[in-house]
Amino acid sequence: MTATDKLDVLAELSRILEERKESDDDKSYVASLHRKGLNKILEKVGEEAVETVLAAKDAETSGDNRDVIYETADLWFHSLVMLSHLGEDASAVLSELARRFDMSGLEEKASRNKH
Ligand SMILES: N=c1c2ncn([C@@H]3O[C@H](COP(=O)(O)OP(=O)(O)OP(=O)(O)O)[C@@H](O)[C@H]3O)c2ncn1[C@@H]1O[C@H](COP(=O)(O)O)[C@@H](O)[C@H]1O
């Protein structure tokens, strides 16, 4: 899979997430999250963030990155469900990251403090 193909994964996942808003929640995990509402989705984002942090600490010790990749995928997925619930998608985040290409992290931090 090329780098562009991998970016297509985000676009395709965003499309599927949008479609699942209309799905039957007996058949779709994403639809069931939307039905449970934003608080449930945020609970999952928080849970997956903690699991990612723990997996990263384990990876540092073991040298095995498989679990941290798996947990990060769960975190990204649930973050995309959160954005979808709020009417946004991955492209909004990609645009924000692209906007930062010409800016150092320190400049970006200084510009944030002006908001
Ligand atoms: N990428 C994912 C994906 N990653 C993780 N998960 C689900 O996220 C959940 C992870 O939560 P946990 O490990 O905490 O599992 P859990 O204990 O069952 O969760 P809770 O009971 O606490 O809610 C599991 O049910 C995983 O199956 C995902 N579910 C769906 N997708 C994508 O979303 C698409 C639509 O899914 P459906 O809506 O189910 O058709 C799929 O085709 C996939 O492309």
Side-chain angles (χ1 to χ4, degrees), residues 7-49:
L7 280 179
D8 287 345
V9 170
L10 280 181
E12 176 62 5
L13 184 53
S14 294
R15 191 194 61 73
I16 294 170
L17 295 185
E18 198 50 38
E19 200 179 82
R20 290 298 194 273
K21 281 181 169 173
E22 311 302 327
S23 294
D24 184 343
D25 66 0
D26 285 347
K27 298 193 182 89
S28 159
Y29 174 69
V30 173
S32 77
L33 282 178
H34 286 302
R35 187 184 56 76
K36 288 173 187 161
L38 183 63
N39 283 352
K40 177 65 187 178
I41 296 169
L42 296 180
E43 190 187 299
K44 295 302 298 178
V45 172
E47 233 176 80
E48 302 303 348

Side-chain angles (χ1 to χ4, degrees), residues 48-69 71-72:
E48 302 303 348
V50 170
E51 284 169 14
T52 300
V53 168
L54 295 175
K57 288 304 290 178
D58 285 349
E60 189 181 39
T61 314
S62 68
D64 181 347
N65 287 342
R66 281 173 295 184
D67 282 354
V68 72
I69 290 167
E71 296 300 345
T72 303

